[in-house]
Amino acid sequence: MEIIAIANQKGGVAKTTTAVNLAYALALIGKKRVLLIDLDAQGNATTSLGFDKNELSYTVADVLLDGVPLADTILYGNDLDIIGANRDLAGIDVSLADVADAPLLLKNAILDSHLDYDFVIMDCAPSLSLLTVNALVATDGVIIPMQCEYFALEGIADLMDTIEKLTTINPKLHVRGVVRTMFDGRSTLVQDVSAELENYFGDKLYKTYIPRSIRLAEAPSFGKSIFEYEKSSKGAIAYHELMNEVLAQRA
Ligand SMILES: Nc1ncnc2c1ncn2[C@@H]1O[C@H](COP(=O)(O)OP(=O)(O)OP(=O)(O)O)[C@@H](O)[C@H]1O
Ligand SMILES: [Mg+2]
């Protein structure tokens, strides 16, 4: 089972869009068994899959705060499964402030639950909160979505720093890849920033970039992935190609 965290503390860089569509690509095209874990109190991944985030029986908050077995919190879908999220996740940092092994709770819950999936994809919130730290401790590799804009690398040093520090508890932790999102190659700024990312990340930068596409932005409002919403769109093709690159990285 490969566990991937989709993380970048910068907001609105297409973490959720990438988590949802990569998860669906793996499930629908790759025929993999996939669990998506929503780790953001905004619950956008949950909504994107067509679930009502206000009607959830459980979230990861129940696992971390009350020891509910992770397996009991899974919602079963036709193509992939999800652990949903909502505002219940908002207080986790405060509630766990004095718990010594707080960063390890998600990892341990995953280990204890003997999950039977090929991939677990975690959608992180735009912060380096304790929940994101839990994801980074539980993951094998981080995928970082980045928008090629002026402030793209701002804050990345903090994320890389956090990753570096957490290797003491999770020696396997590494950046699996960086994916350029909402890409518009006609802009010289985008080209410049893209070249900067190539310099900074080298072969960690996926060759696939996700083009700006209105279809990708529309799909969640129908509770659908891009593959169900418009499978011949350029966004669907791009996420399919990204999946191929991710699968090619398998050990
Ligand atoms: N390739 C794309 N083309 C056009 N719009 C996109 C694309 N990818 C994402 N979007 C839109 O950009 C917005 C931000 O995307 P998304 O919610 O995936 O980012 P995020 O990093 O998860 O945000 P947050 O930090 O708030 O969790 C959304 O409205 C989404 O529909
Ligand atoms: Mg998000």
Side-chain angles (χ1 to χ4, degrees), residues 128-176:
L128 290 171
S129 65
L130 183 57
L131 259 182
T132 301
V133 167
N134 263 273
L136 295 176
V137 172
T139 196
D140 304 334
V142 189
I143 292 180
I144 308 176
M146 291 189 75
Q147 207 180 335
C148 293
E149 56 174 31
Y150 187 56
F151 292 115
L153 282 166
E154 193 121 310
I156 281 299
D158 293 335
L159 178 59
M160 301 307 273
D161 232 41
T162 304
I163 288 173
E164 177 61 36
K165 284 197 187 111
L166 288 174
T167 54
T168 53
I169 5 186
N170 178 13
K172 283 194 303 186
L173 179 59
H174 66 284
V175 175
R176 184 162 178 152

Side-chain angles (χ1 to χ4, degrees), residues 10-17 40 42 126 182 210-213 216-217:
K10 201 169 166 59
V13 296
K15 289 180 290 296
T16 301
T17 307
D40 185 357
Q42 297 180 99
M182 297 181 249
I210 311 300
R212 191 168 277 288
S213 150
L216 279 171

